[in-house]
Amino acid sequence: MLKQFLAAITFIVALLICSPAHAQKATPDTVVTGIYITSIHDINFKDKEYNVNLWLWLKYKNKKFDFLHNLEVPQAKSYTTSFSTIDTTGGKVYLLMKLQCVMKDSWAIDNFPFDKQKLRFSIENSQFDSHSLVFKVDTLGEHFDPRFTLRGWRVDSLDVKTGVKKYETGFGDESLAKPHTEYSNFRVRMQIDRDAMGLFWKMFLGMYVAFLISYMCFYIHTDSIDSRFGLSVGALFAVIGNKYIIDSTLPESTTFTLVDSLHGVTLMFILTVIICTAYSLRLVKQEKIAQAKKFDFLCAQALLLVYVLINAWLIYGANHVPVLAATA
């Protein structure tokens, strides 16, 4: 009788332990992941893409993960594996591969060419969600080669971390009560700062020369009205042409960028020169030659000073704008 009672108690305890309320969720396997960026090149602002070459390694136990075939790079336009090697000694998988990726990203061009950009790279496993695997960062060593990472830019920081990417869809799985899935991801965010002074003068030197040509009208004799108007109108079209050339290399933007501001200010000042020239012509027609010369002299000093100050303020502001934090 006692044996039957103990057997019944044992059976009840076993049912309670195996019930859903007491069942423990399976612990996801950990994938130790590291990255080393060898180069970033062919930045295409117009098409919003760039190329990156990197080494990627993953260490894990579950051979079903098969990252060689299940690797997902969400932000890549395309990628190729130029080299890969797998070591399965000791019951663990060590996968090393070299990737060449064409990445799509959005550019912050408000302060171009004094812009600061954030380049993002992330990977996922296309077959196993966050309930099956989680990533862990391999923090040993550096994550990029500072000598060849990106010519013409400075690498301010590189942040490597892991997280979970949420998809509000079940990918066609009707067994899910809610169309929601989560995948663990490994994320890299590199902040770069352009070495811009040389590029700035290459792009805007023509604009400043055009303004100075227009500005020289104040030092042409008041009798040469045709020459003064001709120089100003020619400078006006030169600035417009310079802006179209720069805009052709940049993606479309709905915001007023530094390029727009500098060209807009220059156009307004050239227009002001033309207005001042017209008023000076009126004084000459009234035979107020001395007054016209004095007016030209005052306008020349005032316009040049204000133009230089506005340009300096715009350039300084663009060069010292902090980069807003963004998720990878």
Side-chain angles (χ1 to χ4, degrees), residues 43 45 107-117 153 194 196 199-200 203-204 245-251 256-263 314-315 318-319:
I43 290 184
F45 266 72
W107 306 119
I109 63 170
D110 290 354
N111 299 313
F112 177 86
F114 300 100
D115 50 324
K116 298 177 176 61
Q117 304 294 343
W153 296 76
R194 189 194 297 273
L199 178 62
F200 173 81
M203 302 185 75
F204 289 96
I245 292 174
I246 296 177
D247 286 345
S248 65
T249 64
L250 299 176
F256 209 67
T257 65
L258 177 66
V259 172
D260 299 323
S261 299
L262 293 178
H263 283 93
L314 290 173
I315 295 171
N319 207 13

Side-chain angles (χ1 to χ4, degrees), residues 34-38 53-57 142-147:
I35 190 173
Y36 188 78
I37 299 173
T38 56
N53 294 341
L54 57 92
W55 289 95
L56 178 71
W57 58 91
E142 298 292 338
H143 298 294
F144 67 95
D145 188 344
R147 296 173 297 171

